[in-house]
């Protein structure tokens, strides 16, 4: 089932997510719905707060990046198959030079801005079977995980912009909260 994506300005996007356990109700169905919702909106990641649940869960699927011809063959192959279900993650370290990438967010349609993040990330988490993993990622895979991780900490990519950029975007962000935007997937707006 495709779920409505929660728009910028909704309080749930600002909550620090709670850890979950195996008993979390209908977890399998929730994950399956989140996947469908993400694919439908052509996203590369979706965090639980974006469908209204302040829990520590996000999904990632970078396959839409795999046809980016600015990337080398090896990176493309990796991104084509990089799909993760991440539960109760903890960032172990972030290293390497900060680099800019033009980010967007399904909760903040039609806004794309350069965001600086570290090149490499090491993260510990459990998957949908509560099996433990520790992974070191770099480049775009790290980027998407860093963006989604921020969501479960109540942080949005627009928080990371300069105060000048934030001022410029203020009106646009208000309009998103009011639903005054063109978007071709289902959303739920706080001020509509
Ligand atoms: Zn996002």
């Amino acid at each position: 089932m495709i779920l409505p994506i929660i728009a910028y300005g909704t309080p749930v996007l600002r909550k620090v997510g709670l850890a979950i356990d195996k008993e979390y109700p209908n977890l399998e169905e929730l994950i399956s719905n989140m996947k469908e919702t993400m694919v439908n909106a052509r996203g590369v990641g979706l965090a639980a707060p974006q469908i209204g649940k302040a829990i520590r869960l996000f999904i990632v699927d970078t396959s839409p990046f795999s046809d980016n011809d600015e990337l080398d063959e090896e990176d493309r192959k990796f991104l084509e198959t990089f799909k993760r279900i991440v539960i109760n993650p903890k960032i172990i370290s972030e290293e390497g030079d900060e680099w800019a990438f033009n980010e967007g967010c399904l909760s903040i349609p039609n806004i794309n801005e350069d965001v600086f993040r570290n090149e490499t990330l090491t993260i510990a988490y459990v998957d949908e079977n509560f099996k433990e993993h520790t992974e070191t990622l770099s480049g775009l895979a790290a980027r998407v995980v860093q963006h989604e991780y921020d969501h479960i900490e109540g942080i949005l990519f627009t928080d990371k912009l300069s105060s000048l950029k934030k001022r410029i975007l203020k009106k646009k962000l208000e309009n998103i909260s009011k639903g005054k935007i063109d978007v071709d997937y289902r959303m739920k707006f706080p001020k509509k």
Side-chain angles (χ1 to χ4, degrees), residues 18-102:
L18 295 174
I20 59 169
D21 60 24
K22 284 179 188 158
E23 313 309 320
Y24 191 82
N26 307 319
L27 184 58
E28 204 178 318
E29 191 188 349
L30 173 66
I31 291 168
S32 150
N33 289 343
M34 283 176 67
K35 278 186 193 169
E36 205 183 328
T37 303
M38 176 180 70
V39 169
N40 175 256
R42 290 173 309 281
V44 291
L46 185 69
Q50 294 181 277
I51 48 96
K53 295 193 185 298
I55 56 173
R56 304 184 78 74
L57 158 67
F58 62 79
I59 60 172
V60 166
D61 176 352
T62 59
S63 57
F65 283 142
S66 64
D67 54 10
N68 183 337
D69 40 353
E70 282 170 32
L71 299 167
D72 64 40
E73 184 66 23
E74 195 188 335
D75 285 345
R76 268 189 283 178
K77 278 219 169 96
F78 180 76
L79 293 168
E80 197 179 340
T81 57
F82 183 68
K83 296 177 173 62
R84 295 288 185 274
I85 295 160
V86 176
I87 297 173
N88 300 341
K90 195 178 168 232
I91 289 182
I92 308 294
S93 64
E94 283 183 284
E95 286 166 341
D97 290 342
E98 291 201 342
W99 64 293
F101 181 74
N102 202 248

Side-chain angles (χ1 to χ4, degrees), residues 50 104-107 147-148 151:
Q50 294 181 277
C105 181
L106 294 179
S107 294
H147 177 114
E148 298 311 324
H151 272 300

